[in-house]
Amino acid sequence: MSSRFWDKTAPKYALSPIKDMESYRTTMERTKAHLDQGDEVLEVGCGTGSTALLLAPNVKSLTASDFSDGMIRIATDKLTAPEAPGNVSFRQAVIGDHVAAGERYDAVLAFNFLHLVDDVPGAIEQIRTLLKPGGLFISKSVCLGSKAWLFKPLIGALQLIGKAPHVSFLTIEQLDGHIRDAGFKILDEGCFPASPPSRFVVAKRLDT
C-alpha cells in the first residue's frame, strides 16, 4: 500500500464532511461504551485525527498513527487548537513499527482501515500482538465482497487513473472469520450503515 495516494489526498480528505453522520455517531457511541478512563489506546490508520481527538476524553492516553505523512501533518496541526485534549499524540508509522517497538495497549482501534490493507489476516495478527491480554480490538471496515461484481470494475477504473487506493473486497463472513482466526472473541458487532455494509466489530484478545 503506497502512501503517495494518501499524501496527495490528505488536504481534500481533511475538508470532506462525514457522508453518513448517523452511522458515524452510532459507531463512536458504541466504541465509547467499550473504553475506560484508564485505557491506553492505539488507533492505526488514523487519517487526519478527528476520531482520535473525539475519543481521547474517554481514555487515559491515545496514540494515533498513519503511514501517510500528509495525514499526520494535518492531524498534528489540530493539537494546537485550544480545545484539543492533552492526552493525544500523532505519529507516522505502520503497524509493524509499533510491534517492533514492543508496544502494548488496552485497546487498538482501526476505523475504515482493514479493507485498505494488502494482507488483512496479517494486519489483524499484528494488532493482536499489540494488545495486552484481554485487550480489545475495535474496528469498522467496508465489506464489498458480496457486491464485488459491481464495485470491482468501478474501483479498478479509478485506480488506473490514480483516483482510488487498493481495496480488499471482503465479505462480512470473511472479515469476522479473519478476526476469530487471529485469536479473538467477537463481543459486539453491527453494520453502520447496512448498505453497503460497514462492519463494526469489538473483539477481545483470547489468551490460553
Side-chain angles (χ1 to χ4, degrees):
M1 183 167 60
S2 171
S3 65
R4 202 177 317 171
F5 171 86
W6 296 107
D7 288 342
K8 184 177 179 180
T9 303
K12 182 178 179 181
Y13 179 88
L15 295 174
S16 300
I18 295 171
K19 294 181 180 179
D20 187 341
M21 183 57 73
E22 182 179 353
S23 292
Y24 181 73
R25 287 176 178 151
T26 298
T27 301
M28 292 299 98
E29 290 307 310
R30 290 180 74 149
T31 297
K32 291 175 185 178
H34 291 278
L35 297 176
D36 186 85
Q37 287 290 340
D39 286 344
E40 296 175 319
V41 177
L42 171 68
E43 182 185 3
V44 295
C46 70
T48 57
S50 297
T51 295
L53 294 170
L54 178 65
L55 293 175
N58 299 273
V59 301
K60 180 181 178 181
S61 65
L62 201 157
T63 300
S65 70
D66 198 286
F67 81 142
S68 166
D69 178 67
M71 293 288 187
I72 291 299
R73 280 190 279 108
I74 293 172
T76 302
D77 285 346
K78 293 179 181 180
L79 294 178
T80 63
E83 68 275 12
N87 64 338
V88 179
S89 63
F90 291 107
R91 184 191 314 172
Q92 183 185 11
V94 296
I95 300 175
D97 295 330
H98 298 289
V99 174
E103 299 171 21
R104 294 294 182 273
Y105 296 91
D106 298 293
V108 174
L109 315 177
F111 299 116
N112 297 313
F113 174 74
L114 286 178
H115 61 283
L116 299 175
V117 304
D118 298 321
D119 180 7
V120 176
I124 297 172
E125 289 175 3
Q126 285 187 308
I127 287 170
R128 185 185 186 279
T129 301
L130 291 168
L131 286 166
K132 299 173 185 178
L136 296 181
F137 173 38
I138 304 178
S139 65
K140 186 174 178 180
S141 313
V142 177
C143 292
L144 299 177
S146 63
K147 293 188 177 181
W149 59 272
L150 172 63
F151 289 104
K152 264 191 177 182
L154 295 173
I155 293 175
L158 291 172
Q159 288 170 337
L160 288 174
I161 58 174
K163 297 295 185 180
H166 166 84
V167 176
S168 292
F169 289 86
L170 300 164
T171 65
I172 291 171
E173 293 76 17
Q174 287 171 336
L175 177 62
D176 289 358
H178 290 324
I179 293 172
R180 292 191 179 98
D181 289 346
F184 288 96
K185 178 181 179 180
I186 294 178
L187 304 178
D188 190 8
E189 49 78 22
C191 292
F192 316 110
S195 182
S198 193
R199 185 67 166 172
F200 173 76
V201 176
V202 179
K204 179 179 179 180
R205 171 178 161 159
L206 298 176
D207 293 274
T208 57

Short mmCIF file of all heavy atoms in Angstrom, two decimals, residues 81-125:
data_model
loop_
_atom_site.label_atom_id
_atom_site.label_comp_id
_atom_site.label_asym_id
_atom_site.label_seq_id
_atom_site.Cartn_x
_atom_site.Cartn_y
_atom_site.Cartn_z
N ALA A 81 -5.15 23.56 18.60
CA ALA A 81 -6.43 24.18 18.95
C ALA A 81 -6.60 24.20 20.46
O ALA A 81 -6.22 23.25 21.16
CB ALA A 81 -7.58 23.40 18.30
N PRO A 82 -7.15 25.28 21.02
CA PRO A 82 -7.30 25.39 22.48
C PRO A 82 -8.09 24.25 23.10
O PRO A 82 -7.82 23.85 24.24
CB PRO A 82 -8.04 26.72 22.64
CG PRO A 82 -7.76 27.49 21.40
CD PRO A 82 -7.64 26.47 20.31
N GLU A 83 -9.05 23.71 22.35
CA GLU A 83 -9.90 22.64 22.89
C GLU A 83 -9.31 21.24 22.70
O GLU A 83 -9.90 20.26 23.15
CB GLU A 83 -11.28 22.70 22.24
CG GLU A 83 -11.32 22.33 20.76
CD GLU A 83 -11.00 23.48 19.82
OE1 GLU A 83 -10.53 24.52 20.31
OE2 GLU A 83 -11.24 23.34 18.62
N ALA A 84 -8.14 21.13 22.08
CA ALA A 84 -7.55 19.81 21.83
C ALA A 84 -7.18 19.13 23.14
O ALA A 84 -6.55 19.75 24.01
CB ALA A 84 -6.33 19.95 20.94
N PRO A 85 -7.54 17.85 23.32
CA PRO A 85 -7.18 17.14 24.53
C PRO A 85 -5.67 16.95 24.62
O PRO A 85 -4.99 16.83 23.60
CB PRO A 85 -7.90 15.79 24.40
CG PRO A 85 -8.15 15.63 22.94
CD PRO A 85 -8.32 17.01 22.39
N GLY A 86 -5.16 16.93 25.84
CA GLY A 86 -3.71 16.84 26.04
C GLY A 86 -3.17 15.43 26.10
O GLY A 86 -1.96 15.25 26.30
N ASN A 87 -4.01 14.43 25.93
CA ASN A 87 -3.57 13.04 26.06
C ASN A 87 -3.47 12.32 24.71
O ASN A 87 -3.47 11.10 24.64
CB ASN A 87 -4.51 12.27 26.98
CG ASN A 87 -5.93 12.17 26.43
OD1 ASN A 87 -6.33 12.97 25.60
ND2 ASN A 87 -6.69 11.19 26.92
N VAL A 88 -3.36 13.10 23.62
CA VAL A 88 -3.28 12.53 22.27
C VAL A 88 -1.91 12.82 21.68
O VAL A 88 -1.38 13.92 21.81
CB VAL A 88 -4.36 13.12 21.34
CG1 VAL A 88 -4.23 12.53 19.93
CG2 VAL A 88 -5.74 12.84 21.88
N SER A 89 -1.34 11.83 21.00
CA SER A 89 -0.12 12.04 20.22
C SER A 89 -0.30 11.40 18.86
O SER A 89 -0.97 10.36 18.73
CB SER A 89 1.09 11.44 20.93
OG SER A 89 0.96 10.03 21.05
N PHE A 90 0.26 12.05 17.83
CA PHE A 90 0.17 11.55 16.47
C PHE A 90 1.56 11.15 15.99
O PHE A 90 2.56 11.80 16.31
CB PHE A 90 -0.42 12.61 15.53
CG PHE A 90 -1.87 12.88 15.78
CD1 PHE A 90 -2.27 14.07 16.39
CD2 PHE A 90 -2.83 11.97 15.42
CE1 PHE A 90 -3.61 14.32 16.63
CE2 PHE A 90 -4.18 12.21 15.66
CZ PHE A 90 -4.57 13.39 16.26
N ARG A 91 1.61 10.07 15.19
CA ARG A 91 2.88 9.52 14.75
C ARG A 91 2.74 8.91 13.36
O ARG A 91 1.76 8.20 13.09
CB ARG A 91 3.33 8.44 15.74
CG ARG A 91 4.69 7.84 15.48
CD ARG A 91 4.92 6.61 16.34
NE ARG A 91 4.55 6.80 17.73
CZ ARG A 91 4.53 5.81 18.61
NH1 ARG A 91 4.85 4.57 18.25
NH2 ARG A 91 4.18 6.03 19.86
N GLN A 92 3.71 9.18 12.50
CA GLN A 92 3.75 8.49 11.21
C GLN A 92 4.36 7.11 11.44
O GLN A 92 5.51 6.99 11.86
CB GLN A 92 4.59 9.27 10.19
CG GLN A 92 4.59 8.62 8.82
CD GLN A 92 5.51 9.31 7.82
OE1 GLN A 92 6.30 10.16 8.21
NE2 GLN A 92 5.41 8.94 6.56
N ALA A 93 3.58 6.08 11.17
CA ALA A 93 4.04 4.71 11.43
C ALA A 93 3.11 3.73 10.76
O ALA A 93 1.96 4.03 10.46
CB ALA A 93 4.10 4.43 12.94
N VAL A 94 3.63 2.52 10.53
CA VAL A 94 2.81 1.37 10.13
C VAL A 94 2.68 0.46 11.33
O VAL A 94 3.39 0.61 12.34
CB VAL A 94 3.43 0.63 8.93
CG1 VAL A 94 3.47 1.53 7.71
CG2 VAL A 94 4.83 0.12 9.27
N ILE A 95 1.79 -0.51 11.25
CA ILE A 95 1.55 -1.39 12.39
C ILE A 95 2.84 -2.07 12.83
O ILE A 95 3.12 -2.19 14.03
CB ILE A 95 0.48 -2.46 12.06
CG1 ILE A 95 -0.85 -1.80 11.70
CG2 ILE A 95 0.28 -3.40 13.25
CD1 ILE A 95 -1.91 -2.78 11.25
N GLY A 96 3.64 -2.50 11.87
CA GLY A 96 4.89 -3.19 12.19
C GLY A 96 5.84 -2.36 13.02
O GLY A 96 6.63 -2.90 13.82
N ASP A 97 5.80 -1.03 12.88
CA ASP A 97 6.66 -0.16 13.69
C ASP A 97 6.28 -0.26 15.17
O ASP A 97 7.15 -0.29 16.04
CB ASP A 97 6.55 1.29 13.23
CG ASP A 97 7.06 1.50 11.81
OD1 ASP A 97 7.97 0.76 11.39
OD2 ASP A 97 6.55 2.40 11.13
N HIS A 98 5.00 -0.30 15.44
CA HIS A 98 4.53 -0.43 16.83
C HIS A 98 4.92 -1.79 17.40
O HIS A 98 5.31 -1.90 18.56
CB HIS A 98 3.02 -0.24 16.89
CG HIS A 98 2.54 1.10 16.44
ND1 HIS A 98 2.74 2.25 17.17
CD2 HIS A 98 1.86 1.48 15.33
CE1 HIS A 98 2.21 3.29 16.54
NE2 HIS A 98 1.66 2.84 15.40
N VAL A 99 4.79 -2.82 16.58
CA VAL A 99 5.14 -4.17 17.01
C VAL A 99 6.63 -4.24 17.33
O VAL A 99 7.04 -4.77 18.37
CB VAL A 99 4.77 -5.22 15.94
CG1 VAL A 99 5.29 -6.60 16.34
CG2 VAL A 99 3.26 -5.26 15.73
N ALA A 100 7.46 -3.70 16.43
CA ALA A 100 8.91 -3.74 16.62
C ALA A 100 9.34 -3.00 17.88
O ALA A 100 10.34 -3.36 18.52
CB ALA A 100 9.60 -3.14 15.40
N ALA A 101 8.59 -1.97 18.26
CA ALA A 101 8.92 -1.19 19.45
C ALA A 101 8.45 -1.87 20.74
O ALA A 101 8.71 -1.36 21.84
CB ALA A 101 8.31 0.20 19.35
N GLY A 102 7.75 -3.00 20.60
CA GLY A 102 7.29 -3.73 21.79
C GLY A 102 6.15 -3.05 22.52
O GLY A 102 5.97 -3.27 23.72
N GLU A 103 5.36 -2.25 21.82
CA GLU A 103 4.28 -1.52 22.46
C GLU A 103 3.10 -2.45 22.78
O GLU A 103 2.85 -3.42 22.09
CB GLU A 103 3.81 -0.38 21.55
CG GLU A 103 4.90 0.64 21.24
CD GLU A 103 4.48 1.63 20.17
OE1 GLU A 103 3.26 1.80 19.93
OE2 GLU A 103 5.38 2.25 19.57
N ARG A 104 2.40 -2.12 23.87
CA ARG A 104 1.21 -2.88 24.27
C ARG A 104 0.12 -1.92 24.72
O ARG A 104 0.40 -0.94 25.41
CB ARG A 104 1.55 -3.85 25.42
CG ARG A 104 2.51 -4.96 25.04
CD ARG A 104 1.91 -5.93 24.03
NE ARG A 104 2.81 -7.03 23.71
CZ ARG A 104 3.73 -6.99 22.76
NH1 ARG A 104 3.86 -5.90 22.01
NH2 ARG A 104 4.52 -8.02 22.54
N TYR A 105 -1.11 -2.23 24.34
CA TYR A 105 -2.23 -1.34 24.61
C TYR A 105 -3.43 -2.11 25.16
O TYR A 105 -3.56 -3.31 24.95
CB TYR A 105 -2.63 -0.61 23.32
CG TYR A 105 -1.56 0.29 22.78
CD1 TYR A 105 -0.62 -0.19 21.86
CD2 TYR A 105 -1.46 1.61 23.20
CE1 TYR A 105 0.38 0.64 21.37
CE2 TYR A 105 -0.46 2.44 22.71
CZ TYR A 105 0.46 1.95 21.79
OH TYR A 105 1.46 2.76 21.32
N ASP A 106 -4.31 -1.36 25.83
CA ASP A 106 -5.57 -1.94 26.32
C ASP A 106 -6.57 -2.09 25.18
O ASP A 106 -7.44 -2.97 25.22
CB ASP A 106 -6.17 -1.05 27.41
CG ASP A 106 -5.26 -0.94 28.63
OD1 ASP A 106 -5.06 -1.97 29.31
OD2 ASP A 106 -4.74 0.17 28.87
N ALA A 107 -6.46 -1.23 24.18
CA ALA A 107 -7.36 -1.30 23.02
C ALA A 107 -6.64 -0.78 21.79
O ALA A 107 -5.84 0.15 21.88
CB ALA A 107 -8.63 -0.50 23.26
N VAL A 108 -6.92 -1.41 20.66
CA VAL A 108 -6.42 -0.93 19.37
C VAL A 108 -7.63 -0.66 18.48
O VAL A 108 -8.53 -1.51 18.35
CB VAL A 108 -5.49 -1.95 18.69
CG1 VAL A 108 -5.11 -1.47 17.29
CG2 VAL A 108 -4.23 -2.18 19.52
N LEU A 109 -7.67 0.52 17.90
CA LEU A 109 -8.77 0.94 17.04
C LEU A 109 -8.32 0.97 15.58
O LEU A 109 -7.19 1.37 15.28
CB LEU A 109 -9.25 2.35 17.43
CG LEU A 109 -9.43 2.64 18.93
CD1 LEU A 109 -9.84 4.10 19.12
CD2 LEU A 109 -10.44 1.70 19.54
N ALA A 110 -9.20 0.56 14.69
CA ALA A 110 -8.90 0.59 13.25
C ALA A 110 -10.19 0.87 12.50
O ALA A 110 -10.95 -0.04 12.19
CB ALA A 110 -8.29 -0.73 12.80
N PHE A 111 -10.44 2.15 12.24
CA PHE A 111 -11.67 2.55 11.57
C PHE A 111 -11.41 2.83 10.09
O PHE A 111 -10.51 3.60 9.74
CB PHE A 111 -12.26 3.79 12.23
CG PHE A 111 -12.62 3.59 13.68
CD1 PHE A 111 -11.97 4.30 14.68
CD2 PHE A 111 -13.59 2.67 14.05
CE1 PHE A 111 -12.30 4.11 16.01
CE2 PHE A 111 -13.93 2.46 15.38
CZ PHE A 111 -13.28 3.19 16.36
N ASN A 112 -12.20 2.17 9.22
CA ASN A 112 -12.05 2.35 7.77
C ASN A 112 -10.61 2.10 7.35
O ASN A 112 -10.02 2.88 6.59
CB ASN A 112 -12.51 3.75 7.36
CG ASN A 112 -13.97 3.98 7.65
OD1 ASN A 112 -14.81 3.14 7.33
ND2 ASN A 112 -14.30 5.09 8.28
N PHE A 113 -10.07 0.99 7.82
CA PHE A 113 -8.65 0.69 7.61
C PHE A 113 -8.41 -0.69 7.01
O PHE A 113 -7.69 -0.82 6.01
CB PHE A 113 -7.93 0.80 8.96
CG PHE A 113 -6.49 0.38 8.93
CD1 PHE A 113 -5.53 1.19 8.34
CD2 PHE A 113 -6.09 -0.82 9.50
CE1 PHE A 113 -4.19 0.80 8.30
CE2 PHE A 113 -4.76 -1.22 9.47
CZ PHE A 113 -3.81 -0.41 8.87
N LEU A 114 -9.00 -1.73 7.58
CA LEU A 114 -8.65 -3.09 7.18
C LEU A 114 -8.90 -3.37 5.70
O LEU A 114 -8.13 -4.09 5.06
CB LEU A 114 -9.41 -4.11 8.04
CG LEU A 114 -8.93 -4.28 9.48
CD1 LEU A 114 -9.83 -5.28 10.21
CD2 LEU A 114 -7.48 -4.73 9.53
N HIS A 115 -9.97 -2.83 5.15
CA HIS A 115 -10.26 -3.10 3.74
C HIS A 115 -9.30 -2.38 2.80
O HIS A 115 -9.34 -2.59 1.58
CB HIS A 115 -11.71 -2.71 3.40
CG HIS A 115 -12.02 -1.26 3.61
ND1 HIS A 115 -12.24 -0.73 4.85
CD2 HIS A 115 -12.15 -0.23 2.73
CE1 HIS A 115 -12.49 0.56 4.74
NE2 HIS A 115 -12.43 0.89 3.46
N LEU A 116 -8.41 -1.55 3.36
CA LEU A 116 -7.44 -0.83 2.54
C LEU A 116 -6.04 -1.43 2.61
O LEU A 116 -5.13 -0.94 1.94
CB LEU A 116 -7.38 0.64 2.99
CG LEU A 116 -8.69 1.42 2.86
CD1 LEU A 116 -8.52 2.82 3.44
CD2 LEU A 116 -9.15 1.50 1.40
N VAL A 117 -5.84 -2.47 3.40
CA VAL A 117 -4.51 -3.09 3.50
C VAL A 117 -4.43 -4.30 2.57
O VAL A 117 -5.44 -4.91 2.22
CB VAL A 117 -4.18 -3.51 4.95
CG1 VAL A 117 -4.30 -2.32 5.90
CG2 VAL A 117 -5.08 -4.64 5.44
N ASP A 118 -3.20 -4.64 2.18
CA ASP A 118 -3.00 -5.75 1.25
C ASP A 118 -3.21 -7.11 1.91
O ASP A 118 -3.74 -8.03 1.29
CB ASP A 118 -1.58 -5.68 0.68
CG ASP A 118 -1.34 -4.41 -0.12
OD1 ASP A 118 -2.26 -3.99 -0.84
OD2 ASP A 118 -0.25 -3.84 -0.02
N ASP A 119 -2.77 -7.24 3.15
CA ASP A 119 -2.81 -8.51 3.87
C ASP A 119 -3.67 -8.35 5.12
O ASP A 119 -3.17 -8.00 6.20
CB ASP A 119 -1.39 -8.95 4.24
CG ASP A 119 -1.34 -10.28 4.99
OD1 ASP A 119 -2.41 -10.94 5.12
OD2 ASP A 119 -0.25 -10.65 5.46
N VAL A 120 -4.97 -8.58 4.99
CA VAL A 120 -5.89 -8.36 6.10
C VAL A 120 -5.61 -9.32 7.27
O VAL A 120 -5.48 -8.87 8.41
CB VAL A 120 -7.35 -8.49 5.63
CG1 VAL A 120 -8.31 -8.36 6.81
CG2 VAL A 120 -7.66 -7.41 4.58
N PRO A 121 -5.49 -10.64 7.04
CA PRO A 121 -5.19 -11.53 8.18
C PRO A 121 -3.88 -11.16 8.88
O PRO A 121 -3.79 -11.20 10.11
CB PRO A 121 -5.10 -12.92 7.53
CG PRO A 121 -5.91 -12.81 6.28
CD PRO A 121 -5.68 -11.41 5.80
N GLY A 122 -2.85 -10.80 8.10
CA GLY A 122 -1.58 -10.43 8.68
C GLY A 122 -1.69 -9.19 9.54
O GLY A 122 -1.08 -9.10 10.62
N ALA A 123 -2.46 -8.20 9.09
CA ALA A 123 -2.65 -6.97 9.86
C ALA A 123 -3.36 -7.26 11.18
O ALA A 123 -2.99 -6.72 12.24
CB ALA A 123 -3.44 -5.96 9.05
N ILE A 124 -4.36 -8.12 11.15
CA ILE A 124 -5.10 -8.46 12.37
C ILE A 124 -4.20 -9.21 13.35
O ILE A 124 -4.25 -8.97 14.56
CB ILE A 124 -6.36 -9.28 12.03
CG1 ILE A 124 -7.32 -8.44 11.17
CG2 ILE A 124 -7.07 -9.73 13.31
CD1 ILE A 124 -8.49 -9.21 10.62
N GLU A 125 -3.37 -10.09 12.86
CA GLU A 125 -2.44 -10.81 13.73
C GLU A 125 -1.45 -9.85 14.39
O GLU A 125 -1.12 -9.99 15.57
CB GLU A 125 -1.70 -11.87 12.93
CG GLU A 125 -2.58 -13.06 12.54
CD GLU A 125 -1.86 -14.05 11.64
OE1 GLU A 125 -0.65 -13.84 11.38
OE2 GLU A 125 -2.51 -15.02 11.20
#
